[in-house]
Amino acid sequence: MGRVAGEPPEDEVLWGEPVGAGQLAAAEEGYQAAGPAERLLWERLSVFEGAFDRRAAEEVCGYGALAGAVGPVLDRLASLALLPVDDLFDGEDGGPRFWMPHAVRAVGARRLTARGDRWAVVLRHRGWCVRVARRAAEWWQRGRQLDARDLALRELPDLAAGMDPTTAPLSPSDETGTALEIAVSLWFLWVACGRLVEGRTRLRHILSLHQGPPPARALWLAAFLELEMGRPEAADPLLAQAWAGAVRDGDDHCLGLLAHLRGAVALYQGRPRAAAAEFREALRQIGDVPDFGPTREACWASLALCFSRTDPEAAQEALDRLELEGAGRRTWAGRDLYADAWAHHARAELLAWDGERARAAEHARRALREHLRLGSAVGAACAAELLAQMRLLDGRADRAAHLLGAVDLLRTSVFDTSYRPGKYCTVARARSEEALRELLDDPKLREAYEEGARIGLFALSRER
């Protein structure tokens, strides 16, 4: 039967999900049964987009009448309005985490707005988002890179709200500072962990609302994302603006970041000598213990890539320096997995140069696995194409065809049709395609190529 005119709809769409009238009525009944403190906490918790723990609840909601009282009130509210969530990542120490169902959240949000406190809580929530993003960035620099990625991904629903200046009480232009700080702190998630499109979209949205000169580090990130998306020509003007901003602000560390990025652009364009000069300048500028952006190990790995096909001694020297500085760093921090992945790539090139094909293939496979573990589509595709070249040299054309089929599927699923990988990466692919061109006329190899797309790089990376 159809709905009678004038009757309320049976379902409402709240935060993208249908919520029944019965659910809303049950949530309202639960709210009425709660005590004053539980109601107030219920309302304030409604600003969370995702799950939260006691610490987050205290930081966002623990003021005024709830100052110092969030813990016991949360314990009483949990059975009334919250669902327990088991989303701790490996090795994380933490207490219980909770999620507020949409119907429950809707009741709290409406009451919070009626009370007139919504914008105050939203601003506290945005401040909490900034602190979470900073913590993730610090973990990345200190070698807790998988933890940093997992923290950022878990809290991304809330961080995304913090990166949208249009959802805050002030004018969007007044809120872009907070949004930019969150987006820039999460640079590693966008660049190294495979969320390029999302990072570029969010940053462009924030910058479009920003009034006045954008921060130099925001422009650095914007340029970096353009490069990783295969648009070095779009990165160049942003680099120039970022350099002017860093000079204006006296941000010497940002000047080092820009030198590293200019090196990455030169390497992408097939200018290894120019790239090497920029990476050396980056090492000079970023200091011994950079607190943000690519690490010294990442710079040394990039230097090794510059020389891996033309000057094996210089490449090996860069890898030795990476290990030396990394060993010192690991007295207080973990490994830089992102730098390690590219270092494996450079080692594979050097070993292939020396004719040690089996060891070269193993390092290429390790590079592929590390990039996949972090989530980098750019790195994984480059490593897989190098591994395909090694498989061809060993006479295993079917394995090479598997890898190339999987790479092509990965690229088409992540990037649009305008994407072109850097010249450094295309060399290995060109070698493989030249060798396979005639072989792919063989129906069995064509089938292997198509089968590789079905199998995927994760499974292929486990094959020795």
Side-chain angles (χ1 to χ4, degrees):
M1 294 177 61
R3 182 168 58 89
V4 177
E7 287 188 356
E10 294 183 1
D11 291 331
E12 291 186 49
V13 177
L14 301 172
W15 298 283
E17 297 289 338
V19 176
Q23 294 173 285
L24 288 168
E28 183 65 39
E29 185 177 336
Y31 178 87
Q32 296 295 339
E38 288 77 18
R39 290 183 186 181
L40 183 57
L41 183 59
W42 184 325
E43 295 169 13
R44 292 179 179 178
L45 288 174
S46 68
V47 301
F48 282 99
E49 300 285 339
F52 53 86
D53 59 10
R54 185 183 302 267
R55 175 181 173 181
E58 289 171 347
E59 290 186 28
V60 174
C61 307
Y63 69 97
L66 291 178
V70 167
V73 178
L74 180 63
D75 291 338
R76 296 195 298 271
L77 181 64
S79 60
L80 291 174
L82 305 176
L83 293 177
V85 176
D86 182 12
D87 61 356
L88 296 175
F89 44 83
D90 290 345
E92 183 184 17
D93 295 325
R97 290 176 55 80
F98 305 98
W99 178 72
M100 184 170 273
H102 290 326
V104 174
R105 185 183 176 198
V107 169
R110 291 166 183 173
R111 296 286 182 162
L112 183 64
T113 300
R115 191 187 290 267
D117 288 348
R118 178 166 183 77
W119 295 130
V121 184
V122 166
L123 287 176
R124 291 179 66 89
H125 176 261
R126 291 170 76 83
W128 172 79
C129 289
V130 169
R131 291 189 289 276
V132 170
R134 287 175 180 169
R135 189 189 321 152
E138 179 185 355
W139 285 3
W140 182 271
Q141 296 302 122
R142 295 184 65 84
R144 295 181 60 184
Q145 293 177 330
L146 295 178
D147 289 347
R149 179 203 61 192
D150 292 345
L151 174 63
L153 288 175
R154 186 180 69 193
E155 309 296 354
L156 195 54
D158 286 282
L159 295 172
M163 285 184 280
D164 186 355
T166 65
T167 63
L170 304 178
S171 68
S173 60
D174 290 332
E175 287 296 327
T176 55
T178 297
L180 282 174
E181 181 168 2
I182 296 170
V184 174
S185 293
L186 297 178
W187 73 272
F188 62 89
L189 185 66
W190 319 129
V191 171
C193 299
R195 301 185 79 96
L196 291 168
V197 176
E198 179 181 1
R200 179 174 178 267
T201 301
R202 294 193 184 283
L203 187 59
R204 285 166 65 91
H205 174 61
I206 301 168
L207 289 173
S208 72
L209 298 171
H210 186 77
Q211 293 183 355
R217 296 191 183 195
L219 292 170
W220 162 78
L221 177 57
F224 210 156
L225 292 171
E226 292 295 343
L227 174 65
E228 293 296 294
M229 291 291 293
R231 301 183 179 95
E233 68 286 349
D236 284 339
L238 292 167
L239 274 169
Q241 294 176 52
W243 183 86
V247 171
R248 178 194 65 227
D249 299 338
D251 190 344
D252 291 340
H253 182 70
C254 187
L255 292 174
L257 298 177
L258 293 169
H260 172 274
L261 183 50
R262 286 195 301 269
V265 170
L267 189 59
Y268 178 98
Q269 294 171 335
R271 299 183 290 116
R273 289 187 179 277
E278 295 289 1
F279 289 133
R280 292 191 187 280
E281 176 64 15
L283 284 164
R284 188 182 70 80
Q285 291 268 15
I286 64 175
D288 293 335
V289 187
D291 61 352
F292 177 80
T295 62
R296 292 184 66 83
E297 292 98 311
C299 292
W300 286 117
S302 299
L303 262 176
L305 291 173
C306 291
F307 296 124
S308 60
R309 292 172 182 159
T310 58
D311 190 343
E313 290 185 3
Q316 188 58 56
E317 180 184 351
L319 290 171
D320 291 343
R321 288 296 300 271
L322 183 156
E323 285 300 322
L324 180 63
E325 293 196 10
R329 180 175 183 269
R330 285 191 289 277
T331 61
W332 57 271
R335 297 191 70 91
D336 183 340
L337 300 180
Y338 189 59
D340 280 353
W342 287 110
H344 281 306
H345 195 114
R347 289 189 179 94
E349 293 274 11
L350 293 180
L351 289 164
W353 183 302
D354 288 337
E356 298 188 49
R357 294 176 181 174
R359 292 180 62 199
E362 180 58 22
H363 278 286
R365 191 180 72 86
R366 289 182 189 178
L368 173 59
R369 288 181 65 84
E370 288 299 321
H371 281 303
L372 288 173
R373 184 154 68 129
L374 287 170
S376 171
V378 172
C382 190
E385 287 171 338
L386 179 61
L387 181 57
Q389 180 187 339
M390 303 303 161
R391 298 302 190 213
L392 273 174
L393 291 174
D394 281 343
R396 294 193 280 180
D398 57 334
R399 293 287 184 87
H402 273 156
L403 288 161
L404 295 182
V407 166
D408 287 347
L409 178 64
L410 173 67
R411 283 210 177 104
T412 55
S413 64
V414 173
F415 303 106
D416 61 32
T417 55
S418 67
Y419 175 78
R420 295 294 181 272
K423 288 188 176 180
Y424 181 88
C425 297
T426 57
V427 169
R429 178 63 180 251
R431 292 170 180 168
S432 298
E433 286 188 337
E434 184 178 355
L436 280 173
R437 190 168 291 119
E438 294 182 3
L439 295 175
L440 282 177
D441 290 335
D442 182 341
K444 290 184 178 179
L445 280 182
R446 171 55 62 178
E447 183 178 340
Y449 174 88
E450 295 170 354
E451 185 180 28
R454 292 192 295 271
I455 294 172
L457 285 179
F458 278 97
L460 294 173
S461 70
R462 293 191 286 270
E463 296 180 354
R464 292 182 180 274

